[in-house]
Amino acid sequence: MEYEDVDLDDSDFAALGADFERGASGGSVRTGRVGSAHSRLLGLVDAVDFAQGWLREHRTAQAVPE
């Protein structure tokens, strides 16, 4: 197969984000308004570290390279 763009499957990102927000320790997700938009402020390192573990647990080994 040939791709002109990234082969992206983000179908489980909402679940990943919800789990991160529920399980984030130390108040690393803060919510509030930016203008009229409901927004979240979070630590990028915390989010990436969480996502790596979450994806390994919730996706097949083929889909998440080590």
Side-chain angles (χ1 to χ4, degrees), residues 38-61:
H38 182 73
S39 304
R40 289 174 179 81
L41 177 67
L42 53 102
L44 185 58
V45 172
D46 293 338
V48 170
D49 289 347
F50 181 87
Q52 286 178 326
W54 192 96
L55 290 168
R56 281 193 186 100
E57 184 178 327
H58 291 86
R59 287 189 176 179
T60 65

Side-chain angles (χ1 to χ4, degrees), residues 2 6 11 16 19 21 27 29-30 36 39 44 50 55 57 62 65:
E2 203 171 291
V6 176
S11 61
L16 188 161
D19 285 352
E21 195 165 349
V29 178
R30 297 189 329 213
S36 61
S39 304
L44 185 58
F50 181 87
L55 290 168
E57 184 178 327
Q62 294 173 338

